[in-house]
Amino acid sequence: LQPDGTLGGPNYTTCDAFLQVLDNNNVCNPAPGMGSISGLIITEEGIPVSGIEISPRDDMPNDMMMTESDGLYHFDLETQQAYQVTPYSPEDYLNGVSTLDLILISKHILGVTTIDSPYKIIAADVNHSNTVTTLDLVHLRKAILGISAGFPNNESWRFINDAFEFPDPLDPWLEAFPETVVIPMLTNPMGGADFIAIKIGDINGSVQASILDEGEGRASGDTYYLRTDENEYTAGE
């Protein structure tokens, strides 16, 4: 300010200073929003399946949970992330499996009685070859007799996204069916991420899906008593 009240003069100068504040410890970042993914795992008949491992993503093993008798699962997860929900059940091979299933698969192969459910046709594909052949009968018979401990190239259960519709119910492999629920970006709580559970080898639906379900499966090592009236039988009767 000059004596005459003006700004400037021979000794006048200015300087601009810029101040940049750095958040070195990331304490100012807002916390991620929280959402959820939930669903139900049931058989084709609508029976809840317990004891199924399920995780929201392959790299999140600590978030894996196991379904209880109601077949429900629920994850509390961060939003703005992608998830791929995958059920898994590696054991329990003989649950619901019996020689009656062998007969039903044989009739299907011979064209005597066609299996009319895409889920049951997938259950008949014991060796995961995307076909139903006599080789599936061989592997299923070995499991029933205790010769093998499981199914080749296959798990005890398979799970199909309930939202998927088969283009041809009699040819379930015509189009690849999803065995996961994919969420490209979670923004809000998501319910209804359901799965249809398929017990491999069980064609007549006798699997015991949970402790509340009275299945008719037959386990290896159990003792069974068969009794019949004295009679004479002919071959094949």
Side-chain angles (χ1 to χ4, degrees), residues 97-118:
V97 174
S98 69
T99 52
L100 178 56
D101 299 304
L102 291 172
I103 295 172
L104 296 175
I105 296 175
S106 298
K107 288 183 176 182
H108 176 80
I109 294 172
L110 295 173
V112 177
T113 304
T114 302
I115 301 173
D116 59 0
S117 161

Side-chain angles (χ1 to χ4, degrees), residues 62-180:
N62 293 334
D63 292 281
M64 187 274 291
M65 66 165 294
M66 190 168 291
T67 59
E68 297 186 3
S69 58
D70 56 9
L72 292 169
Y73 73 89
H74 179 98
F75 299 111
D76 291 316
L77 302 165
E78 294 182 3
T79 57
Q80 307 304 315
Q81 291 198 42
Y83 297 98
Q84 182 171 309
V85 181
T86 306
Y88 178 67
S89 180
E91 301 177 352
D92 202 24
Y93 287 96
L94 292 181
N95 186 358
V97 174
S98 69
T99 52
L100 178 56
D101 299 304
L102 291 172
I103 295 172
L104 296 175
I105 296 175
S106 298
K107 288 183 176 182
H108 176 80
I109 294 172
L110 295 173
V112 177
T113 304
T114 302
I115 301 173
D116 59 0
S117 161
Y119 302 107
K120 292 294 188 291
I121 294 175
I122 294 171
D125 178 23
V126 177
N127 63 351
H128 205 319
S129 64
N130 293 348
T131 57
V132 178
T133 67
T134 53
L135 194 56
D136 295 301
L137 292 173
V138 172
H139 292 305
L140 190 59
R141 185 177 292 109
K142 285 183 177 180
I144 292 174
L145 296 176
I147 298 174
S148 60
F151 307 138
N153 305 316
N154 214 348
E155 306 297 341
S156 177
W157 292 80
R158 295 182 70 178
F159 307 90
I160 297 181
N161 189 329
D162 184 42
F164 178 77
E165 295 184 4
F166 293 94
D168 183 357
L170 298 181
D171 184 6
W173 301 287
L174 182 63
E175 180 181 323
F177 46 81
E179 298 185 71
T180 61

Side-chain angles (χ1 to χ4, degrees), residues 231-237:
N231 202 349
E232 293 184 1
Y233 297 95
T234 59
E237 185 174 357

Side-chain angles (χ1 to χ4, degrees), residues 1 6 8 11 23 32 41 44-45 56 61 69 78 128 143 148 151 176 201-202 205 215 230 232:
L1 181 66
T6 62
N11 298 321
D23 180 19
I41 299 180
E44 182 183 6
E45 293 79 15
S69 58
E78 294 182 3
H128 205 319
S148 60
F151 307 138
D202 176 30
E230 183 177 357
E232 293 184 1

